[in-house]
Amino acid sequence: MRMVDVIEKKRNGEELTTEEIKFFVNGYTEGKIPDYQVSSLMMAIYFQDMNDRERADLTMAMVESGDKINLSGIEGIKVDKHSTGGVGDTTTLSLAAMVAAVGVPVAKMSGRGLGHTGGTIDKLESISGFHVELSSEQFTKQVNDIKMAVIGQSGNLTPADKKLYALRDVTGTVPSIPLIASSIMSKKIAAGADAIVLDVKTGEGAFMKTLEDSISLAKAMVQIGNRVGRNTMAIISDMSQPLGYAIGNALEVKEAIDTLKGNGPEDLQELCYTLGAQMVVLGGKAKTIEEARSLLVEVVQNGKAIEVFKKFIEAQGGDASVVDNPSLLPQAKFQIELPAKQDGYVAKMEADEIGVAAMLLGAGRATKESEIDLAVGLILHKKVGDQVKQGESLATIYSNTDDVQNVLDKLYAHIVISSDKVEAPTLIKEIVLD
Ligand code: URA
Ligand code: CA
């Protein structure tokens, strides 16, 4: 087989066979096919698209390019959740403990990542003593014992995706539905998920800015999952403003704890119940979404969810007393208010720019080498649609320096107050089942 023929075929809008897809994925991973040919093929896919069968083949070729996590020692259906990324998204921590409390095993592999705040692991490390270095035996045993564990990235998962994603990044071929969908799904499948719930964000703070694109991406991923034998569902949720009120590592841990006790921000609490209900159904612990949801509400109200979270922290070496005493989490030196300059209604809180403000405080990483300050970040006091009075605080800035003029300027520029009444955006836009 010659790579140039594969490129020409796709350029002409033809369908690639399973063998042709395996050929270029393996050839590229092994260094036998050069960057220039693969970038040409990526561009051809960008313009000509792939059908459902090609997308599933591409996903599985990337899964097969490296190690796969074996979760077969864990009892039950392993349901994983993936979010396409947003600002202040504290969902994973609360959601995991909630569904675990209902009996769905949560065997999560997580990363640190770049972004406005750290990843799930950074957030968890704001709990004193907490660690994610578990052997695979410890990991399996912990999930069987308490239904929840989080481990750091290990093994050589989907090397083909790593190479392809890096190449796409510099060749203008990232925003392609078949390429994004296969990239995300390959990682979830290699991490051992039996079933997958996707939270596809939409709006200014999201990867996909329009509802139409978000639905296309969700459908593409759901179809890949179901085609390769992983039950998959997606929801489309709003990311035009940050989720919840907290943006920052320790601040989000406290928010997750509040949510597990049923005292979380309304949007975060709702998103956890919506995603959680899907996970519980896929995990076989309820027949209907309604039944699943009431099980989740029950474990929050009777304290079982927060109990699982405590056990999870203890099992991984952390100080579980933070659950009752969140002031044990890292604290910033300064708290600076952001008073509203006028009366009115909050019309916009641009999620991506507010995320950048948190990053300026040190809550996130700009490069892999950046150090994160776990204590800093923002607590918003308003959401879009809320009424505000002049002088009332829109947000509290948690900082380790009192020189935050750049952060204040950024927030004022991207929190828009209008004199007219504004509708709050709906949180859950769509549910995609096939
Ligand atoms: N996230 C991924 O993991 N892959 C993509 O291609 C785009 C976003
Ligand atoms: Ca939040």
Side-chain angles (χ1 to χ4, degrees):
M1 205 176 287
R2 293 192 317 158
M3 185 62 182
V4 64
D5 299 325
V6 177
I7 296 169
E8 287 177 6
K9 208 170 164 191
K10 187 42 81 181
R11 182 200 64 198
N12 296 343
E14 290 170 48
E15 192 179 322
L16 301 181
T17 65
T18 306
E19 287 65 41
E20 284 163 341
I21 290 171
K22 280 188 190 158
F23 166 77
F24 89 76
V25 170
N26 294 338
Y28 189 49
T29 311
E30 291 160 16
K32 291 182 193 148
I33 302 175
D35 282 351
Y36 53 83
Q37 283 189 306
V38 178
S39 43
S40 174
L41 179 64
M42 292 296 110
M43 192 58 87
I45 294 172
Y46 176 92
F47 281 110
Q48 297 289 5
D49 206 343
M50 285 179 129
N51 65 23
D52 289 343
R53 200 267 310 145
E54 291 175 288
R55 293 171 181 194
D57 283 345
L58 176 56
T59 304
M60 291 316 287
M62 294 199 288
V63 170
E64 298 301 333
S65 72
D67 298 339
K68 285 171 279 178
I69 304 291
N70 180 357
L71 299 180
S72 61
I74 296 171
E75 300 139 25
I77 302 169
K78 277 72 72 182
V79 187
D80 204 355
K81 182 219 65 157
H82 178 80
S83 153
T84 60
V87 179
D89 189 351
T90 325
T91 322
T92 299
L93 292 179
S94 317
L95 183 62
M98 277 184 208
V99 304
V102 172
V104 178
V106 178
K108 196 145 190 74
M109 182 187 270
S110 236
R112 294 176 191 280
L114 301 176
H116 305 116
T117 64
T120 297
I121 290 186
D122 299 297
K123 290 175 193 174
L124 284 167
E125 282 178 351
S126 64
I127 299 169
S128 155
F130 192 94
H131 70 91
V132 292
E133 290 80 33
L134 303 176
S135 69
S136 70
E137 292 74 26
Q138 287 170 321
F139 183 62
T140 302
K141 180 169 187 320
Q142 186 179 321
V143 182
N144 283 333
D145 289 349
I146 64 169
K147 296 286 172 218
M148 176 173 178
V150 174
I151 194 172
Q153 237 115 41
S154 66
N156 178 30
L157 300 196
T158 61
D161 173 63
K162 284 195 188 84
K163 266 190 101 168
L164 286 169
Y165 198 6
L167 183 70
R168 287 164 53 213
D169 203 26
V170 293
T171 55
T173 50
V174 168
S176 151
I177 299 267
L179 297 178
I180 299 170
S182 55
S183 165
I184 293 174
M185 291 302 285
S186 70
K187 288 182 276 238
K188 291 283 121 180
I189 292 167
D194 298 320
I196 300 160
V197 172
L198 301 160
D199 179 14
V200 178
K201 306 288 191 186
T202 193
E204 266 162 288
F207 197 62
M208 290 286 160
K209 313 278 178 210
T210 70
L211 184 57
E212 200 190 350
D213 285 348
S214 305
I215 293 173
S216 303
L217 178 60
K219 288 198 159 151
M221 293 192 287
V222 168
Q223 270 157 21
I224 290 173
N226 291 334
R227 234 186 143 89
V228 303
R230 290 350 186 252
N231 236 332
T232 304
M233 295 176 177
I235 71 151
I236 315 277
S237 70
D238 181 58
M239 198 26 91
S240 60
Q241 60 178 337
L243 187 68
Y245 293 115
I247 306 156
N249 299 281
L251 296 170
E252 289 187 36
V253 170
K254 176 171 183 311
E255 189 167 71
I257 291 169
D258 291 341
T259 305
L260 280 168
K261 293 176 177 170
N263 307 323
E266 205 180 312
D267 57 348
L268 178 58
Q269 198 86 42
E270 177 57 33
L271 186 62
C272 286
Y273 289 143
T274 304
L275 289 167
Q278 301 218 24
M279 292 175 76
V280 170
V281 169
L282 288 177
K285 298 292 171 188
K287 294 229 156 43
T288 64
I289 293 289
E290 294 69 35
E291 186 195 338
R293 189 182 170 102
S294 59
L295 290 172
L296 291 165
V297 172
E298 193 180 311
V299 294
V300 167
Q301 285 174 353
N302 68 17
K304 282 197 181 145
I306 195 72
E307 224 22 70
V308 168
F309 194 62
K310 273 191 193 170
K311 283 192 191 146
F312 156 70
I313 295 173
E314 275 164 10
Q316 298 197 210
D319 176 7
S321 58
V322 294
V323 167
D324 299 312
N325 189 2
S327 65
L328 293 171
L329 291 165
Q331 303 289 317
K333 281 203 201 90
F334 301 97
Q335 293 185 19
I336 300 149
E337 301 302 328
L338 184 81
K341 290 181 175 169
Q342 66 192 85
D343 287 351
Y345 298 86
V346 178
K348 268 190 175 184
M349 292 196 131
E350 292 173 42
D352 45 356
E353 297 292 342
I354 292 174
V356 173
M359 196 147 143
L360 291 173
L361 290 165
R365 283 188 189 86
T367 70
K368 264 191 236 166
E369 288 70 36
S370 321
E371 288 265 344
I372 279 192
D373 186 338
L374 295 168
V376 304
L378 304 166
I379 301 279
L380 306 174
H381 301 306
K382 298 287 174 186
K383 302 292 284 192
V384 170
D386 287 353
Q387 194 170 10
V388 293
K389 293 253 171 290
Q390 186 183 351
E392 193 183 359
S393 180
L394 296 168
T396 304
I397 297 163
Y398 290 75
S399 173
N400 276 325
T401 137
D402 58 358
D403 177 16
V404 292
Q405 196 55 48
N406 56 343
V407 176
L408 291 168
D409 292 345
K410 183 130 211 114
L411 292 172
Y412 276 126
H414 298 283
I415 300 179
V416 179
I417 295 174
S418 112
S419 47
D420 300 326
K421 235 179 142 90
V422 177
E423 284 283 322
T426 42
L427 177 67
I428 311 293
K429 310 281 188 195
E430 290 263 347
I431 297 197
V432 177
L433 302 177
D434 52 32

